[in-house]
Amino acid sequence: LACSRNIPAVRLLAEVGGPVVLKDRLNALGLSTVSAAPDYYGLGMAIGNPEVRLLELANAYACLARLGEYLPYRLTRSLDSIPPRGDPVCDATAAYLIADILNDDDARSYAFGFNSPLEFGFPVACKTGTSSDFRDNWAFGYTPEFTVGVWVGNFDGKPMESVSGISGAGPVLHDLFVHLKRRFGTSWYSQPEEIVSLP
C-alpha cells in the first residue's frame, strides 16, 4: 500500500469480493462519479480507474482521518467550527492501520526512496496516484486535524511528460502540511488497545 504496488491491490480486491464491494464502499463515501456497473470498472477499481472529483476523494480520505466516520463535505471559511460526529462506515482499528501504513517512510522508501516529498518530519498519512498516461496525478494526506488533496494536470486533459504523483502533486502536499503544522499544529492517533506491535 505504501509503495503503490498494483498487483497486491488487485489481488486483494479479488479476494474480498471484487469490484461490487469497492463500488458500494466508494458510493457510501460520497463518490458520485463512480456510477457505472461494477463490471465496467472491473478489478482495476483497486488501482483507481474510475474518474472521481478531487473534493469527493479528499472527503473519503477525511473519513479515514476520522477513523472511519463519514461526514458529507461542507464548504466553510472557519477552522474553529467543530464538525458533528459522523456515521461509521469502516472499522476504526482498520482505519488506524491504514493511517499507520501510509505514515511509514521506511515502508514507502522502496518505491520512492528516502527524502521524498512524502517525508515530513512529523506524522502524516499520505498516498499518491498517477494515471497511466500521466494525464492526472494526485497526492492526499491527513492527520487527525487536516485532510489535504492535490491534483496536478493540464486543464485541457493533455498528458504531462512523465510527471507522477510523487514529483507533481507530492511537493505541493508537502508544502501545505509543513505550513499547517507550523501555523496550527498537528497530532497523531493513539494506537488502539487491540493492536499488538511486534519487531
Side-chain angles (χ1 to χ4, degrees), residues 37-66:
D39 290 343
Y40 173 79
Y41 303 110
L43 294 174
M45 287 189 81
I47 56 174
N49 68 0
E51 291 191 5
V52 296
R53 292 186 175 102
L54 174 64
L55 183 58
E56 291 178 350
L57 189 54
N59 196 47
Y61 276 93
C63 177
L64 287 174
R66 290 188 295 273

Side-chain angles (χ1 to χ4, degrees), residues 25 28-29 62-64 66-72 84-91:
R25 181 58 50 97
L29 290 171
C63 177
L64 287 174
R66 290 188 295 273
L67 298 179
E69 290 185 8
Y70 171 77
L71 287 169
R85 298 285 299 192
D87 297 323
V89 296
C90 68
D91 180 73

Side-chain angles (χ1 to χ4, degrees), residues 85-189:
R85 298 285 299 192
D87 297 323
V89 296
C90 68
D91 180 73
T93 302
Y96 168 84
L97 286 172
I98 291 171
D100 187 60
I101 291 167
L102 295 180
N103 174 50
D104 191 338
D105 291 330
D106 289 336
R108 86 174 123 254
S109 67
Y110 179 77
F112 302 116
F114 289 103
N115 302 315
S116 79
L118 302 184
E119 289 191 41
F120 297 90
F122 55 92
V124 177
C126 45
K127 183 78 180 76
T128 63
T130 307
S131 60
S132 58
D133 59 0
F134 295 100
R135 184 172 57 104
D136 303 285
N137 67 76
W138 310 77
F140 292 89
Y142 60 91
T143 66
E145 298 82 13
F146 300 104
T147 300
V148 175
V150 177
W151 170 82
V152 170
N154 293 311
F155 289 119
D156 62 3
K158 290 181 181 173
M160 296 172 287
E161 294 186 22
S162 301
V163 177
S164 68
I166 195 71
S167 63
V172 178
L173 180 78
H174 185 273
D175 289 352
L176 287 168
F177 264 106
V178 168
H179 170 75
L180 291 169
K181 172 74 170 177
R182 188 180 308 124
R183 181 159 182 200
F184 301 104
T186 60
S187 65
W188 195 241
Y189 304 96

